[in-house]
Amino acid sequence: MGDETLTVTDNRTGRRYEVPIRDGAIAATDLQKITSDGPGSGLLSYDPAFLNTASCRSAITFIDGERSILRYRGYPVEELAERSSFLEVAYLLIHGELPDPTQHRQWVDAITHHTLLHENIKKLIDTFHHDAHPMGILVGTVGALSTFYPDAKDIFNEESRRLQILRLIAKMPTLAAFAARHAVGMPYAYPDNDLSYAGNFLNMMWKATELKYEPSPVLERALDVLLILHADHEQNCSTNVMRAVGSSHADPFSATAAAAAALYGPLHGGANEQVLRMLKEIGSVSKIPEYVKRVRSGELRLMGFGHRVYKNYDPRAQIIKKVADDVLAVTGRSPLLDIALELERVALADDYFIKHRLYPNVDFYSGIIYAAIGFPVEMFPVLFAIGRTPGWLAQWQEGLLDPEQKIARPRQVYTGPAERHLPGVRAEAISR
Ligand code: CMC
Protein backbone atom coordinates (compact mmCIF):
# COMPACT_ATOMS: atom_id res chain seq x y z
CA MET A 1 0.00 0.00 0.00
CA GLY A 2 1.33 3.48 -0.91
CA ASP A 3 1.87 6.30 1.56
CA GLU A 4 -1.44 8.02 0.93
CA THR A 5 -4.54 6.20 2.10
CA LEU A 6 -8.12 6.80 3.04
CA THR A 7 -9.55 5.13 6.15
CA VAL A 8 -13.23 4.34 5.93
CA THR A 9 -15.50 3.03 8.69
CA ASP A 10 -18.55 1.15 7.52
CA ASN A 11 -21.16 2.10 10.12
CA ARG A 12 -23.33 -0.83 9.03
CA THR A 13 -20.76 -3.34 10.26
CA GLY A 14 -18.31 -1.28 12.29
CA ARG A 15 -15.46 -2.55 10.10
CA ARG A 16 -12.62 -0.23 9.08
CA TYR A 17 -10.95 -0.28 5.69
CA GLU A 18 -7.84 1.37 4.35
CA VAL A 19 -8.07 2.40 0.70
CA PRO A 20 -4.95 3.49 -1.23
CA ILE A 21 -4.96 6.93 -2.85
CA ARG A 22 -3.06 7.17 -6.13
CA ASP A 23 -2.72 10.41 -8.11
CA GLY A 24 -5.43 12.01 -5.99
CA ALA A 25 -7.93 9.23 -6.69
CA ILE A 26 -9.18 6.05 -5.05
CA ALA A 27 -9.94 3.05 -7.26
CA ALA A 28 -13.70 2.48 -7.26
CA THR A 29 -13.00 -1.28 -7.38
CA ASP A 30 -11.35 -0.97 -3.93
CA LEU A 31 -14.83 -0.19 -2.59
CA GLN A 32 -15.89 -3.73 -3.51
CA LYS A 33 -14.16 -5.10 -0.43
CA ILE A 34 -16.51 -3.03 1.75
CA THR A 35 -19.33 -5.53 2.12
CA SER A 36 -22.34 -5.70 4.41
CA ASP A 37 -23.86 -8.99 3.39
CA GLY A 38 -21.22 -11.34 1.99
CA PRO A 39 -19.94 -11.70 -1.60
CA GLY A 40 -21.73 -9.58 -4.20
CA SER A 41 -22.70 -6.91 -1.68
CA GLY A 42 -19.56 -4.81 -2.22
CA LEU A 43 -20.05 -1.06 -2.09
CA LEU A 44 -20.58 0.71 -5.41
CA SER A 45 -19.84 4.35 -6.14
CA TYR A 46 -22.85 6.10 -7.68
CA ASP A 47 -21.93 8.87 -10.09
CA PRO A 48 -24.41 9.59 -12.88
CA ALA A 49 -22.72 11.66 -15.63
CA PHE A 50 -19.28 10.99 -14.07
CA LEU A 51 -19.37 14.20 -12.05
CA ASN A 52 -16.49 13.06 -9.86
CA THR A 53 -15.18 9.91 -11.51
CA ALA A 54 -11.99 9.65 -13.58
CA SER A 55 -12.66 7.10 -16.32
CA CYS A 56 -9.05 6.90 -17.50
CA ARG A 57 -5.50 8.12 -17.06
CA SER A 58 -4.61 10.55 -19.82
CA ALA A 59 -1.50 12.49 -20.80
CA ILE A 60 -3.20 14.54 -23.52
CA THR A 61 -5.13 17.52 -22.16
CA PHE A 62 -4.99 19.26 -18.81
CA ILE A 63 -7.86 21.42 -17.58
CA ASP A 64 -8.06 23.31 -14.31
CA GLY A 65 -11.61 24.64 -14.26
CA GLU A 66 -11.13 26.82 -11.20
CA ARG A 67 -8.10 28.59 -12.66
CA SER A 68 -9.38 28.52 -16.27
CA ILE A 69 -6.36 26.62 -17.56
CA LEU A 70 -6.41 24.52 -20.73
CA ARG A 71 -3.22 22.85 -21.98
CA TYR A 72 -2.63 20.36 -24.78
CA ARG A 73 0.29 18.06 -23.92
CA GLY A 74 1.45 20.74 -21.48
CA TYR A 75 1.30 23.72 -23.87
CA PRO A 76 -1.15 26.52 -22.90
CA VAL A 77 -3.91 26.78 -25.49
CA GLU A 78 -3.33 30.55 -25.68
CA GLU A 79 0.24 29.97 -26.98
CA LEU A 80 -0.87 27.34 -29.45
CA ALA A 81 -3.70 29.54 -30.74
CA GLU A 82 -1.29 32.39 -31.26
CA ARG A 83 1.75 30.61 -32.65
CA SER A 84 0.85 27.29 -34.20
CA SER A 85 -1.41 25.83 -36.84
CA PHE A 86 -4.26 23.36 -36.45
CA LEU A 87 -2.31 20.58 -38.15
CA GLU A 88 0.65 21.14 -35.81
CA VAL A 89 -1.74 20.91 -32.87
CA ALA A 90 -3.27 17.75 -34.36
CA TYR A 91 0.23 16.24 -34.59
CA LEU A 92 0.95 17.28 -31.01
CA LEU A 93 -2.23 15.69 -29.70
CA ILE A 94 -1.67 12.43 -31.55
CA HIS A 95 2.10 12.09 -31.05
CA GLY A 96 2.67 13.88 -27.75
CA GLU A 97 5.26 16.30 -29.15
CA LEU A 98 5.22 19.11 -31.70
CA PRO A 99 6.60 18.03 -35.08
CA ASP A 100 10.12 18.99 -36.21
CA PRO A 101 10.24 20.64 -39.68
CA THR A 102 10.62 17.29 -41.51
CA GLN A 103 7.86 15.61 -39.52
CA HIS A 104 5.67 18.65 -40.08
CA ARG A 105 6.20 18.59 -43.85
CA GLN A 106 5.47 14.87 -44.05
CA TRP A 107 2.39 15.16 -41.81
CA VAL A 108 0.86 18.07 -43.76
CA ASP A 109 1.71 16.36 -47.06
CA ALA A 110 0.10 13.07 -45.97
CA ILE A 111 -3.08 14.78 -44.75
CA THR A 112 -3.28 16.89 -47.90
CA HIS A 113 -3.10 13.72 -50.01
CA HIS A 114 -5.88 11.93 -48.16
CA THR A 115 -8.56 14.61 -48.57
CA LEU A 116 -10.37 13.00 -51.51
CA LEU A 117 -13.42 10.81 -50.91
CA HIS A 118 -14.36 7.66 -52.75
CA GLU A 119 -16.87 8.72 -55.41
CA ASN A 120 -19.47 6.39 -53.89
CA ILE A 121 -19.49 8.54 -50.74
CA LYS A 122 -20.45 11.45 -53.00
CA LYS A 123 -23.32 9.33 -54.33
CA LEU A 124 -24.30 8.48 -50.76
CA ILE A 125 -24.46 12.18 -49.88
CA ASP A 126 -26.65 12.70 -52.97
CA THR A 127 -29.23 10.33 -51.51
CA PHE A 128 -29.85 12.50 -48.43
CA HIS A 129 -32.95 14.68 -48.46
CA HIS A 130 -32.30 18.23 -49.70
CA ASP A 131 -32.82 19.72 -46.23
CA ALA A 132 -30.89 17.03 -44.33
CA HIS A 133 -28.92 18.53 -41.44
CA PRO A 134 -25.21 18.44 -42.40
CA MET A 135 -24.35 16.99 -38.98
CA GLY A 136 -26.66 14.06 -39.74
CA ILE A 137 -24.91 13.64 -43.09
CA LEU A 138 -21.51 13.80 -41.38
CA VAL A 139 -22.45 11.19 -38.78
CA GLY A 140 -23.79 8.89 -41.50
CA THR A 141 -20.95 9.28 -43.97
CA VAL A 142 -18.07 9.10 -41.51
CA GLY A 143 -19.59 5.86 -40.24
CA ALA A 144 -19.99 4.67 -43.83
CA LEU A 145 -16.27 5.24 -44.43
CA SER A 146 -15.57 2.23 -42.22
CA THR A 147 -17.03 0.04 -44.99
CA PHE A 148 -14.62 1.58 -47.50
CA TYR A 149 -11.61 0.88 -45.30
CA PRO A 150 -11.96 -2.62 -43.82
CA ASP A 151 -8.24 -2.41 -42.93
CA ALA A 152 -9.34 0.03 -40.21
CA LYS A 153 -10.39 -2.97 -38.12
CA ASP A 154 -6.70 -3.77 -37.63
CA ILE A 155 -6.62 -1.50 -34.60
CA PHE A 156 -3.58 -3.03 -32.89
CA ASN A 157 -1.43 -2.49 -35.98
CA GLU A 158 0.41 0.79 -35.51
CA GLU A 159 0.78 1.44 -39.24
CA SER A 160 -2.93 0.84 -39.84
CA ARG A 161 -3.86 3.19 -36.99
CA ARG A 162 -1.58 5.87 -38.45
CA LEU A 163 -3.28 5.55 -41.83
CA GLN A 164 -6.82 5.76 -40.43
CA ILE A 165 -5.86 8.80 -38.35
CA LEU A 166 -4.54 10.54 -41.48
CA ARG A 167 -7.65 9.58 -43.42
CA LEU A 168 -10.04 10.81 -40.76
CA ILE A 169 -8.34 14.17 -40.16
CA ALA A 170 -8.05 14.67 -43.94
CA LYS A 171 -11.55 13.61 -44.96
CA MET A 172 -13.70 15.26 -42.27
CA PRO A 173 -13.56 18.71 -43.97
CA THR A 174 -14.39 17.14 -47.34
CA LEU A 175 -17.40 15.31 -45.91
CA ALA A 176 -18.46 18.51 -44.13
CA ALA A 177 -18.16 20.75 -47.19
CA PHE A 178 -19.91 18.23 -49.45
CA ALA A 179 -22.76 18.00 -46.91
CA ALA A 180 -23.08 21.81 -46.93
CA ARG A 181 -23.10 22.03 -50.72
CA HIS A 182 -25.65 19.26 -50.96
CA ALA A 183 -28.05 21.40 -48.92
CA VAL A 184 -27.84 24.27 -51.39
CA GLY A 185 -27.65 22.13 -54.53
CA MET A 186 -24.17 23.33 -55.46
CA PRO A 187 -21.81 20.98 -57.30
CA TYR A 188 -19.17 19.56 -54.96
CA ALA A 189 -15.85 21.42 -55.00
CA TYR A 190 -12.88 19.07 -54.82
CA PRO A 191 -9.94 19.66 -52.48
CA ASP A 192 -7.16 21.98 -53.63
CA ASN A 193 -3.78 20.63 -52.53
CA ASP A 194 -2.11 24.06 -52.85
CA LEU A 195 -4.14 25.43 -49.94
CA SER A 196 -3.78 25.08 -46.19
CA TYR A 197 -6.14 22.81 -44.22
CA ALA A 198 -8.45 25.73 -43.31
CA GLY A 199 -7.98 27.47 -46.68
CA ASN A 200 -8.91 24.29 -48.53
CA PHE A 201 -12.01 23.92 -46.39
CA LEU A 202 -13.10 27.45 -47.34
CA ASN A 203 -12.37 26.49 -50.97
CA MET A 204 -14.55 23.37 -50.78
CA MET A 205 -17.31 25.41 -49.14
CA TRP A 206 -17.40 28.38 -51.48
CA LYS A 207 -15.52 27.82 -54.74
CA ALA A 208 -17.90 28.62 -57.57
CA THR A 209 -16.86 29.05 -61.21
CA GLU A 210 -13.49 30.71 -60.63
CA LEU A 211 -10.47 28.66 -61.72
CA LYS A 212 -8.72 29.06 -58.39
CA TYR A 213 -10.31 29.94 -55.06
CA GLU A 214 -8.28 32.36 -52.96
CA PRO A 215 -9.28 32.36 -49.30
CA SER A 216 -9.07 35.56 -47.28
CA PRO A 217 -5.94 35.17 -45.08
CA VAL A 218 -7.80 36.67 -42.08
CA LEU A 219 -10.74 34.27 -42.37
CA GLU A 220 -8.41 31.33 -43.05
CA ARG A 221 -6.39 32.10 -39.92
CA ALA A 222 -9.54 32.70 -37.84
CA LEU A 223 -10.91 29.33 -38.87
CA ASP A 224 -7.58 27.66 -38.10
CA VAL A 225 -7.57 29.21 -34.60
CA LEU A 226 -11.16 28.07 -33.98
CA LEU A 227 -10.18 24.54 -34.97
CA ILE A 228 -7.21 24.69 -32.55
CA LEU A 229 -9.51 25.81 -29.72
CA HIS A 230 -11.85 22.88 -30.35
CA ALA A 231 -9.13 20.27 -30.86
CA ASP A 232 -9.43 18.52 -27.51
CA HIS A 233 -11.09 18.98 -24.15
CA GLU A 234 -10.25 15.88 -22.13
CA GLN A 235 -13.17 13.62 -21.14
CA ASN A 236 -16.12 15.58 -22.52
CA CYS A 237 -19.30 13.82 -23.65
CA SER A 238 -18.22 13.00 -27.24
CA THR A 239 -14.69 11.99 -26.22
CA ASN A 240 -16.14 9.72 -23.58
CA VAL A 241 -18.25 8.14 -26.33
CA MET A 242 -15.19 7.81 -28.59
CA ARG A 243 -13.33 5.98 -25.84
CA ALA A 244 -16.34 3.84 -24.89
CA VAL A 245 -16.96 2.71 -28.47
CA GLY A 246 -13.22 2.27 -29.01
CA SER A 247 -13.08 0.09 -25.89
CA SER A 248 -15.20 -2.52 -27.68
CA HIS A 249 -12.47 -2.54 -30.39
CA ALA A 250 -14.74 -1.05 -33.05
CA ASP A 251 -12.84 0.59 -35.92
CA PRO A 252 -12.06 4.34 -35.61
CA PHE A 253 -14.52 5.41 -38.33
CA SER A 254 -17.40 3.82 -36.41
CA ALA A 255 -16.15 5.29 -33.13
CA THR A 256 -15.81 8.75 -34.73
CA ALA A 257 -19.38 8.51 -36.07
CA ALA A 258 -20.58 7.77 -32.53
CA ALA A 259 -18.54 10.64 -31.08
CA ALA A 260 -19.91 13.02 -33.73
CA ALA A 261 -23.45 11.87 -32.85
CA ALA A 262 -22.76 12.74 -29.20
CA LEU A 263 -21.43 16.12 -30.27
CA TYR A 264 -24.63 16.82 -32.22
CA GLY A 265 -26.69 17.36 -29.04
CA PRO A 266 -27.61 20.96 -28.09
CA LEU A 267 -25.91 20.66 -24.70
CA HIS A 268 -22.59 19.84 -26.36
CA GLY A 269 -21.44 20.75 -29.90
CA GLY A 270 -24.94 21.74 -30.91
CA ALA A 271 -24.80 24.68 -28.49
CA ASN A 272 -23.12 27.10 -30.91
CA GLU A 273 -26.00 26.63 -33.33
CA GLN A 274 -28.45 27.27 -30.49
CA VAL A 275 -26.56 30.43 -29.47
CA LEU A 276 -27.10 31.97 -32.87
CA ARG A 277 -30.76 30.99 -32.92
CA MET A 278 -31.10 32.48 -29.42
CA LEU A 279 -29.43 35.78 -30.41
CA LYS A 280 -31.75 36.01 -33.42
CA GLU A 281 -34.76 35.23 -31.23
CA ILE A 282 -33.76 37.99 -28.79
CA GLY A 283 -33.50 40.24 -31.84
CA SER A 284 -32.46 43.49 -30.19
CA VAL A 285 -30.51 44.77 -27.22
CA SER A 286 -33.70 46.18 -25.68
CA LYS A 287 -35.20 42.68 -25.35
CA ILE A 288 -32.27 41.31 -23.30
CA PRO A 289 -33.58 42.05 -19.77
CA GLU A 290 -36.84 40.28 -20.55
CA TYR A 291 -34.97 37.26 -21.94
CA VAL A 292 -32.65 37.08 -18.93
CA LYS A 293 -35.72 37.17 -16.68
CA ARG A 294 -37.03 34.05 -18.43
CA VAL A 295 -33.66 32.36 -17.89
CA ARG A 296 -33.69 33.30 -14.20
CA SER A 297 -37.16 31.81 -13.80
CA GLY A 298 -35.86 28.47 -15.10
CA GLU A 299 -37.95 28.67 -18.29
CA LEU A 300 -34.85 28.77 -20.54
CA ARG A 301 -31.13 28.18 -20.47
CA LEU A 302 -28.80 30.83 -21.78
CA MET A 303 -27.06 28.92 -24.55
CA GLY A 304 -23.29 29.39 -24.70
CA PHE A 305 -23.18 29.94 -20.94
CA GLY A 306 -22.03 27.55 -18.24
CA HIS A 307 -19.63 24.67 -18.24
CA ARG A 308 -19.24 21.46 -16.30
CA VAL A 309 -15.57 22.19 -15.61
CA TYR A 310 -14.93 25.95 -16.00
CA LYS A 311 -16.43 27.83 -13.12
CA ASN A 312 -14.68 31.17 -13.59
CA TYR A 313 -14.30 31.66 -17.31
CA ASP A 314 -13.67 29.47 -20.33
CA PRO A 315 -10.18 30.42 -21.61
CA ARG A 316 -11.26 29.53 -25.15
CA ALA A 317 -14.06 32.10 -25.02
CA GLN A 318 -11.53 34.85 -24.25
CA ILE A 319 -9.38 33.96 -27.28
CA ILE A 320 -12.44 33.69 -29.52
CA LYS A 321 -13.62 37.14 -28.55
CA LYS A 322 -10.37 38.56 -29.97
CA VAL A 323 -10.71 36.48 -33.15
CA ALA A 324 -14.24 37.86 -33.57
CA ASP A 325 -12.83 41.40 -33.73
CA ASP A 326 -10.38 40.39 -36.51
CA VAL A 327 -13.08 38.66 -38.53
CA LEU A 328 -15.68 41.38 -38.16
CA ALA A 329 -13.10 43.96 -39.26
CA VAL A 330 -13.08 42.11 -42.61
CA THR A 331 -16.71 41.04 -42.91
CA GLY A 332 -18.39 44.06 -41.31
CA ARG A 333 -19.88 44.36 -37.83
CA SER A 334 -22.71 42.00 -37.00
CA PRO A 335 -25.72 43.26 -35.03
CA LEU A 336 -25.67 39.85 -33.35
CA LEU A 337 -22.30 40.71 -31.79
CA ASP A 338 -23.84 43.79 -30.18
CA ILE A 339 -26.59 41.62 -28.71
CA ALA A 340 -24.04 39.03 -27.54
CA LEU A 341 -21.80 41.63 -25.89
CA GLU A 342 -24.73 43.23 -24.07
CA LEU A 343 -26.13 39.84 -23.08
CA GLU A 344 -22.74 38.88 -21.62
CA ARG A 345 -22.57 42.20 -19.73
CA VAL A 346 -26.09 41.83 -18.31
CA ALA A 347 -25.64 38.16 -17.41
CA LEU A 348 -22.28 38.63 -15.70
CA ALA A 349 -23.78 41.29 -13.44
CA ASP A 350 -26.86 39.21 -12.62
CA ASP A 351 -27.21 37.44 -9.26
CA TYR A 352 -28.45 34.21 -10.85
CA PHE A 353 -25.38 33.86 -13.08
CA ILE A 354 -23.00 34.91 -10.31
CA LYS A 355 -24.53 32.41 -7.88
CA HIS A 356 -24.45 29.58 -10.44
CA ARG A 357 -20.97 30.59 -11.64
CA LEU A 358 -22.08 30.78 -15.26
CA TYR A 359 -19.73 32.40 -17.78
CA PRO A 360 -19.61 32.43 -21.60
CA ASN A 361 -18.19 29.18 -22.93
CA VAL A 362 -16.41 28.42 -26.21
CA ASP A 363 -19.70 28.35 -28.09
CA PHE A 364 -20.91 31.81 -27.15
CA TYR A 365 -18.79 33.74 -29.66
CA SER A 366 -17.74 30.99 -32.09
CA GLY A 367 -21.17 31.05 -33.75
CA ILE A 368 -20.89 34.77 -34.42
CA ILE A 369 -17.56 34.24 -36.17
CA TYR A 370 -18.85 31.30 -38.19
CA ALA A 371 -21.89 33.32 -39.24
CA ALA A 372 -19.71 36.30 -40.21
CA ILE A 373 -17.50 34.02 -42.33
CA GLY A 374 -20.69 32.90 -44.07
CA PHE A 375 -21.35 29.44 -42.62
CA PRO A 376 -25.03 28.52 -42.25
CA VAL A 377 -25.97 27.76 -38.62
CA GLU A 378 -26.43 24.06 -39.37
CA MET A 379 -22.70 23.89 -40.13
CA PHE A 380 -21.62 25.09 -36.68
CA PRO A 381 -21.58 21.68 -34.95
CA VAL A 382 -19.95 20.24 -38.08
CA LEU A 383 -17.09 22.73 -37.71
CA PHE A 384 -16.77 21.72 -34.08
CA ALA A 385 -16.51 18.07 -35.20
CA ILE A 386 -13.72 18.85 -37.69
CA GLY A 387 -11.76 20.58 -34.93
CA ARG A 388 -12.37 17.83 -32.36
CA THR A 389 -11.37 14.94 -34.65
CA PRO A 390 -7.63 14.90 -33.73
CA GLY A 391 -8.57 14.99 -30.05
CA TRP A 392 -11.00 12.09 -30.44
CA LEU A 393 -8.35 10.10 -32.28
CA ALA A 394 -5.60 10.85 -29.77
CA GLN A 395 -7.90 9.78 -26.94
CA TRP A 396 -9.08 6.69 -28.83
CA GLN A 397 -5.49 5.57 -29.43
CA GLU A 398 -4.43 6.31 -25.87
CA GLY A 399 -7.33 4.25 -24.50
CA LEU A 400 -6.62 1.39 -26.85
CA LEU A 401 -2.96 1.15 -25.80
CA ASP A 402 -3.62 1.61 -22.08
CA PRO A 403 -3.15 -1.75 -20.31
CA GLU A 404 -5.54 -0.61 -17.56
CA GLN A 405 -8.44 -0.13 -19.98
CA LYS A 406 -11.12 -2.72 -20.54
CA ILE A 407 -14.42 -2.60 -22.39
CA ALA A 408 -16.47 0.26 -20.92
CA ARG A 409 -19.24 -1.23 -18.86
CA PRO A 410 -20.55 0.86 -15.96
CA ARG A 411 -22.51 -0.65 -13.10
CA GLN A 412 -25.97 0.51 -12.04
CA VAL A 413 -28.07 0.89 -8.95
CA TYR A 414 -31.16 -1.20 -9.73
CA THR A 415 -34.41 0.53 -8.75
CA GLY A 416 -36.96 -1.69 -10.51
CA PRO A 417 -39.40 -4.25 -9.08
CA ALA A 418 -38.19 -7.19 -7.00
CA GLU A 419 -38.75 -10.65 -8.54
CA ARG A 420 -42.38 -11.18 -9.62
CA HIS A 421 -44.15 -13.61 -11.91
CA LEU A 422 -46.52 -13.75 -14.82
CA PRO A 423 -50.14 -14.62 -13.95
CA GLY A 424 -50.50 -18.36 -13.41
CA VAL A 425 -46.82 -18.99 -12.71
CA ARG A 426 -46.00 -20.09 -9.19
CA ALA A 427 -42.56 -19.10 -7.98
CA GLU A 428 -41.71 -22.56 -6.66
CA ALA A 429 -42.58 -24.11 -10.06
CA ILE A 430 -39.78 -22.28 -11.83
CA SER A 431 -36.72 -24.44 -12.27
CA ARG A 432 -33.56 -22.40 -11.99
N1 CMC B 1 -28.46 28.97 -18.35
C1 CMC B 1 -29.15 29.03 -17.21
N2 CMC B 1 -28.92 28.26 -16.14
C2 CMC B 1 -27.93 27.36 -16.25
C3 CMC B 1 -27.15 27.24 -17.41
C4 CMC B 1 -27.43 28.10 -18.49
N3 CMC B 1 -26.72 28.04 -19.62
N4 CMC B 1 -26.23 26.26 -17.23
C5 CMC B 1 -26.44 25.78 -16.00
N5 CMC B 1 -27.45 26.44 -15.40
C6 CMC B 1 -27.96 26.25 -14.05
C7 CMC B 1 -28.84 25.01 -13.98
O1 CMC B 1 -30.19 25.34 -14.21
C8 CMC B 1 -28.57 24.55 -12.57
O2 CMC B 1 -29.32 25.37 -11.71
P1 CMC B 1 -29.95 24.79 -10.32
O3 CMC B 1 -28.78 24.21 -9.56
O4 CMC B 1 -30.56 25.99 -9.70
O5 CMC B 1 -30.93 23.74 -10.75
C9 CMC B 1 -27.10 24.87 -12.35
O6 CMC B 1 -26.82 25.98 -13.23
C10 CMC B 1 -26.18 23.72 -12.66
O7 CMC B 1 -26.50 23.26 -13.97
P2 CMC B 1 -26.17 21.79 -14.47
O8 CMC B 1 -27.01 21.51 -15.67
O9 CMC B 1 -26.26 20.86 -13.30
O10 CMC B 1 -24.65 21.96 -14.85
P3 CMC B 1 -23.83 20.94 -15.74
O11 CMC B 1 -22.43 21.06 -15.31
O12 CMC B 1 -24.47 19.60 -15.70
O13 CMC B 1 -24.06 21.52 -17.21
C11 CMC B 1 -23.79 22.58 -19.26
C12 CMC B 1 -23.12 22.11 -17.98
C13 CMC B 1 -22.74 23.12 -20.22
C14 CMC B 1 -24.51 21.40 -19.94
C15 CMC B 1 -24.83 23.67 -18.90
O14 CMC B 1 -24.17 24.77 -18.31
C16 CMC B 1 -25.66 24.11 -20.09
O15 CMC B 1 -26.69 23.51 -20.38
N6 CMC B 1 -25.22 25.21 -20.83
C17 CMC B 1 -25.92 25.63 -22.02
C18 CMC B 1 -25.49 24.76 -23.19
C19 CMC B 1 -24.08 25.09 -23.64
O16 CMC B 1 -23.71 26.23 -23.81
N7 CMC B 1 -23.30 24.02 -23.89
C20 CMC B 1 -21.93 24.15 -24.41
C21 CMC B 1 -20.91 23.69 -23.40
S1 CMC B 1 -19.25 24.14 -23.85
C22 CMC B 1 -18.91 23.24 -25.28
C23 CMC B 1 -19.10 21.78 -25.15
O17 CMC B 1 -18.68 21.15 -24.17
O18 CMC B 1 -19.66 21.22 -26.07
Side-chain angles (χ1 to χ4, degrees):
M1 189 162 300
D3 291 347
E4 297 190 341
T5 60
L6 178 76
T7 301
V8 182
T9 304
D10 185 343
N11 293 324
R12 298 169 303 177
T13 60
R15 285 199 285 269
R16 267 163 57 98
Y17 299 86
E18 212 168 323
V19 183
I21 298 175
R22 190 175 153 210
D23 298 331
I26 60 162
T29 45
D30 280 341
L31 301 178
Q32 277 172 350
K33 63 187 175 199
I34 305 178
T35 55
S36 62
D37 198 17
S41 68
L43 199 64
L44 285 176
S45 63
Y46 174 63
D47 190 6
F50 300 131
L51 286 173
N52 194 38
T53 295
S55 62
C56 61
R57 292 180 189 284
S58 181
I60 300 172
T61 289
F62 174 79
I63 300 178
D64 180 333
E66 285 298 325
R67 293 190 292 149
S68 300
I69 292 172
L70 170 59
R71 297 184 198 131
Y72 298 155
R73 301 282 190 184
Y75 294 104
V77 72
E78 292 83 355
E79 282 176 33
L80 292 167
E82 190 160 334
R83 291 161 190 264
S84 66
S85 71
F86 174 64
L87 286 188
E88 273 178 295
V89 168
Y91 186 99
L92 172 70
L93 290 169
I94 305 278
H95 298 89
E97 295 296 337
L98 284 163
D100 65 27
T102 308
Q103 290 164 332
H104 184 246
R105 199 169 7 85
Q106 287 168 348
W107 174 247
V108 173
D109 191 64
I111 289 177
T112 306
H113 286 91
H114 278 288
T115 47
L116 280 173
L117 299 174
H118 192 290
E119 288 290 295
N120 284 351
I121 285 283
K122 212 173 74 178
K123 290 187 205 148
L124 177 59
I125 294 175
D126 282 339
T127 63
F128 281 87
H129 205 47
H130 71 93
D131 58 357
H133 195 293
M135 195 66 176
I137 299 183
L138 185 78
V139 170
T141 50
V142 78
L145 280 182
S146 86
T147 65
F148 288 76
Y149 302 114
D151 57 322
K153 291 187 180 8
D154 201 4
I155 52 170
F156 289 109
N157 176 332
E158 189 180 349
E159 190 44 39
S160 171
R161 279 200 311 276
R162 196 188 76 85
L163 183 57
Q164 316 317 328
I165 287 171
L166 290 171
R167 283 174 170 156
L168 270 157
I169 296 174
K171 293 181 200 305
M172 286 295 268
T174 319
L175 292 174
F178 281 20
R181 289 176 81 108
H182 173 71
V184 286
M186 290 271 284
Y188 304 118
Y190 282 68
D192 180 341
N193 288 358
D194 294 338
L195 297 176
S196 72
Y197 190 82
N200 175 49
F201 183 55
L202 296 175
N203 158 67
M204 292 189 291
M205 282 293 302
W206 286 298
K207 183 172 186 294
T209 53
E210 66 271 43
L211 283 180
K212 186 96 181 156
Y213 178 85
E214 287 182 16
S216 146
V218 173
L219 303 188
E220 184 181 357
R221 178 64 192 150
L223 181 59
D224 206 59
V225 171
L226 284 170
L227 295 176
I228 292 173
L229 298 181
H230 285 90
D232 196 48
H233 213 233
E234 52 124 292
Q235 306 313 313
N236 57 87
C237 176
S238 55
T239 301
N240 181 51
V241 167
M242 184 84 189
R243 279 185 176 257
V245 175
S247 78
S248 77
H249 295 174
D251 69 82
F253 294 97
S254 303
T256 302
L263 189 71
Y264 198 174
L267 296 189
H268 191 12
N272 50 17
E273 184 177 344
Q274 299 306 324
V275 170
L276 215 82
R277 293 191 194 284
M278 174 188 77
L279 295 175
K280 284 185 177 158
E281 187 193 330
I282 295 174
S284 80
V285 167
S286 64
K287 302 264 175 56
I288 290 174
E290 188 190 318
Y291 196 84
V292 170
K293 211 164 133 193
R294 290 169 69 197
V295 175
R296 286 170 62 103
S297 72
E299 184 191 335
L300 299 166
R301 279 196 171 204
L302 200 55
M303 299 313 285
F305 261 70
H307 199 275
R308 172 64 58 77
V309 183
Y310 298 120
K311 297 300 176 195
N312 285 316
Y313 65 84
D314 180 339
R316 302 168 298 173
Q318 300 249 324
I319 302 168
I320 285 187
K321 223 169 148 179
K322 281 196 226 129
V323 177
D325 289 337
D326 297 344
V327 168
L328 296 176
V330 171
T331 61
R333 197 169 174 85
S334 154
L336 294 179
L337 181 68
D338 295 330
I339 300 174
L341 286 169
E342 179 61 8
L343 187 56
E344 179 183 354
R345 195 192 63 74
V346 171
L348 293 184
D350 189 286
D351 286 353
Y352 175 90
F353 291 85
I354 295 169
K355 182 172 149 245
H356 289 85
R357 305 183 73 191
L358 299 170
Y359 292 82
N361 59 47
V362 67
D363 288 326
F364 192 64
Y365 287 103
S366 64
I368 291 171
I369 302 178
Y370 293 147
I373 295 179
F375 289 107
V377 281
E378 296 77 21
M379 282 299 283
F380 296 2
V382 176
L383 289 155
F384 194 153
I386 296 172
R388 187 55 56 88
T389 298
W392 285 335
L393 292 165
Q395 301 267 355
W396 162 74
Q397 179 162 256
E398 187 180 61
L400 213 56
L401 301 181
D402 180 349
E404 286 188 347
Q405 283 296 331
K406 289 173 180 287
I407 186 166
R409 204 303 183 187
R411 301 292 302 276
Q412 65 168 14
V413 175
Y414 178 68
T415 60
E419 183 177 12
R420 54 184 172 163
H421 300 287
L422 294 173
V425 181
R426 283 186 301 123
E428 60 272 20
I430 299 171
S431 69
R432 292 181 186 274

